[in-house]
Amino acid sequence: FHTGGNKRCALEPTVVQDCDNFETLRVGYDCFTDYKVGMLGCGPAKPQSRMNGQEWSANPGVLAAEWTESAMKVFFFPDKEVPVDLEGKSPQPETWSAKHMIAYFPFAASEAAFPGLCPAPAELLEPQSIVLNIALCGDWASQTFAQSCLSSERPIESSD
């Protein structure tokens, strides 16, 4: 999770851990993001949230987020465990099992524990957009992929 500008927020680790055992790995509990100085945002999450593309493909399911003025929770439901209310397009996240929660961001509870840690949690989040980029050419994937990338002049064959 990333904040910037005048929207600063840090999560209180004990509040996060009171919910469940979440890891932070490369990121910490300070959500402020400035890549130039190594501030990568916050990311208390369970290990299963860090699957690679092949692992996600082998474990299909539904990702759902509960976003309130006080917190954000991210859930993953394997295909066979998707709640009926979610399938029926009437989600009731307060009824979902904590075993499916893969990330937790307790903004208001962190602020309550240590005032100033996450001021104005209700104003922290703004409307979001999800961008799915399935570009087949680019420099992020690897140095060799860029060299072998298909040109637009050659049609894609089924063997590609």
Side-chain angles (χ1 to χ4, degrees):
F1 185 80
H2 308 282
T3 62
N6 63 351
K7 293 190 176 191
R8 294 186 172 264
C9 180
L11 304 175
E12 169 51 37
T14 58
V15 173
V16 173
Q17 298 307 325
D18 279 349
C19 178
D20 205 338
N21 186 26
F22 292 96
E23 302 173 349
T24 56
L25 293 182
R26 296 181 326 166
V27 297
Y29 292 98
D30 188 346
C31 301
F32 189 76
T33 306
D34 185 344
Y35 296 112
K36 294 176 198 156
V37 295
M39 297 178 77
L40 305 177
C42 59
K46 292 184 181 172
Q48 66 263 37
S49 70
R50 293 179 177 84
M51 294 189 287
N52 63 34
Q54 201 169 25
E55 292 167 325
W56 282 111
S57 181
N59 297 287
V62 173
L63 282 168
E66 177 188 19
W67 168 5
T68 68
E69 289 187 354
S70 62
M72 184 168 41
K73 299 174 185 175
V74 180
F75 298 85
F76 174 72
F77 301 100
D79 271 349
K80 293 184 184 344
E81 298 177 35
V82 176
V84 174
D85 59 291
L86 190 57
E87 284 183 344
K89 301 192 185 326
S90 298
Q92 297 174 7
E94 65 280 357
T95 66
W96 298 344
S97 170
K99 78 175 189 173
H100 294 293
M101 190 185 330
I102 61 172
Y104 179 51
F105 303 87
F107 307 121
S110 295
E111 174 64 16
F114 289 95
L117 202 57
C118 189
E123 298 171 16
L124 190 61
L125 300 173
E126 296 176 355
Q128 303 290 301
S129 297
I130 295 177
V131 178
L132 300 175
N133 181 350
I134 59 168
L136 298 175
C137 299
D139 60 353
W140 178 80
S142 74
Q143 297 299 322
T144 58
F145 187 78
Q147 296 167 3
S148 64
C149 190
L150 299 172
S151 78
S152 61
E153 299 174 356
R154 182 176 152 248
I156 296 176
E157 302 293 329
S158 61
S159 61
D160 291 336

mmCIF file of all heavy atoms in Angstrom, residues 24 35 41 58 65 70 74 112 118 136 145 149:
data_model
loop_
_atom_site.group_PDB
_atom_site.id
_atom_site.type_symbol
_atom_site.label_atom_id
_atom_site.label_comp_id
_atom_site.label_asym_id
_atom_site.label_seq_id
_atom_site.Cartn_x
_atom_site.Cartn_y
_atom_site.Cartn_z
ATOM 1 N N THR A 24 5.958 -8.528 6.686
ATOM 2 C CA THR A 24 6.162 -7.324 5.885
ATOM 3 C C THR A 24 7.272 -7.492 4.843
ATOM 4 O O THR A 24 7.328 -6.733 3.892
ATOM 5 C CB THR A 24 6.469 -6.108 6.773
ATOM 6 O OG1 THR A 24 7.587 -6.396 7.576
ATOM 7 C CG2 THR A 24 5.269 -5.723 7.607
ATOM 8 N N TYR A 35 10.391 6.034 -3.597
ATOM 9 C CA TYR A 35 11.325 5.020 -4.102
ATOM 10 C C TYR A 35 12.770 5.513 -4.141
ATOM 11 O O TYR A 35 13.690 4.723 -3.999
ATOM 12 C CB TYR A 35 10.894 4.545 -5.489
ATOM 13 C CG TYR A 35 9.564 3.844 -5.491
ATOM 14 C CD1 TYR A 35 8.460 4.412 -6.110
ATOM 15 C CD2 TYR A 35 9.402 2.617 -4.855
ATOM 16 C CE1 TYR A 35 7.236 3.775 -6.107
ATOM 17 C CE2 TYR A 35 8.184 1.970 -4.845
ATOM 18 C CZ TYR A 35 7.108 2.554 -5.473
ATOM 19 O OH TYR A 35 5.895 1.922 -5.461
ATOM 20 N N GLY A 41 6.561 1.718 0.940
ATOM 21 C CA GLY A 41 5.176 1.588 1.348
ATOM 22 C C GLY A 41 5.027 0.502 2.399
ATOM 23 O O GLY A 41 6.011 -0.037 2.906
ATOM 24 N N ALA A 58 -2.231 -21.787 -11.002
ATOM 25 C CA ALA A 58 -2.489 -23.135 -10.488
ATOM 26 C C ALA A 58 -3.484 -23.134 -9.323
ATOM 27 O O ALA A 58 -3.998 -24.189 -8.950
ATOM 28 C CB ALA A 58 -1.177 -23.782 -10.054
ATOM 29 N N ALA A 65 -11.580 -7.103 -1.762
ATOM 30 C CA ALA A 65 -11.099 -6.144 -0.768
ATOM 31 C C ALA A 65 -12.282 -5.511 -0.055
ATOM 32 O O ALA A 65 -13.279 -5.146 -0.685
ATOM 33 C CB ALA A 65 -10.247 -5.067 -1.430
ATOM 34 N N SER A 70 -12.063 3.005 8.174
ATOM 35 C CA SER A 70 -11.096 2.708 9.225
ATOM 36 C C SER A 70 -10.016 1.706 8.840
ATOM 37 O O SER A 70 -8.963 1.677 9.465
ATOM 38 C CB SER A 70 -11.818 2.207 10.478
ATOM 39 O OG SER A 70 -12.514 1.022 10.197
ATOM 40 N N VAL A 74 -7.815 -7.473 2.611
ATOM 41 C CA VAL A 74 -7.795 -8.153 1.320
ATOM 42 C C VAL A 74 -7.974 -9.642 1.587
ATOM 43 O O VAL A 74 -7.293 -10.207 2.451
ATOM 44 C CB VAL A 74 -6.492 -7.882 0.550
ATOM 45 C CG1 VAL A 74 -6.495 -8.595 -0.796
ATOM 46 C CG2 VAL A 74 -6.280 -6.377 0.362
ATOM 47 N N ALA A 112 -5.501 5.349 16.602
ATOM 48 C CA ALA A 112 -6.017 5.343 17.978
ATOM 49 C C ALA A 112 -4.942 4.885 18.961
ATOM 50 O O ALA A 112 -4.846 5.407 20.073
ATOM 51 C CB ALA A 112 -7.246 4.439 18.080
ATOM 52 N N CYS A 118 -1.290 7.757 11.922
ATOM 53 C CA CYS A 118 -2.065 7.673 10.678
ATOM 54 C C CYS A 118 -3.213 8.679 10.755
ATOM 55 O O CYS A 118 -4.375 8.305 10.869
ATOM 56 C CB CYS A 118 -2.581 6.244 10.479
ATOM 57 S SG CYS A 118 -3.312 5.970 8.853
ATOM 58 N N LEU A 136 3.343 -7.670 -24.042
ATOM 59 C CA LEU A 136 4.220 -8.814 -24.261
ATOM 60 C C LEU A 136 5.668 -8.403 -24.500
ATOM 61 O O LEU A 136 6.546 -9.235 -24.500
ATOM 62 C CB LEU A 136 3.712 -9.650 -25.438
ATOM 63 C CG LEU A 136 2.307 -10.249 -25.233
ATOM 64 C CD1 LEU A 136 1.850 -10.953 -26.492
ATOM 65 C CD2 LEU A 136 2.304 -11.181 -24.047
ATOM 66 N N PHE A 145 14.267 -11.253 -22.792
ATOM 67 C CA PHE A 145 12.926 -11.160 -23.360
ATOM 68 C C PHE A 145 12.845 -10.005 -24.349
ATOM 69 O O PHE A 145 12.245 -10.133 -25.414
ATOM 70 C CB PHE A 145 11.887 -10.990 -22.252
ATOM 71 C CG PHE A 145 10.476 -11.045 -22.771
ATOM 72 C CD1 PHE A 145 9.891 -12.260 -23.076
ATOM 73 C CD2 PHE A 145 9.738 -9.888 -22.959
ATOM 74 C CE1 PHE A 145 8.591 -12.324 -23.560
ATOM 75 C CE2 PHE A 145 8.442 -9.947 -23.437
ATOM 76 C CZ PHE A 145 7.869 -11.161 -23.735
ATOM 77 N N CYS A 149 11.636 -10.449 -28.208
ATOM 78 C CA CYS A 149 10.248 -9.993 -28.288
ATOM 79 C C CYS A 149 9.762 -10.008 -29.734
ATOM 80 O O CYS A 149 10.489 -9.634 -30.655
ATOM 81 C CB CYS A 149 10.161 -8.582 -27.706
ATOM 82 S SG CYS A 149 8.480 -8.027 -27.487
#
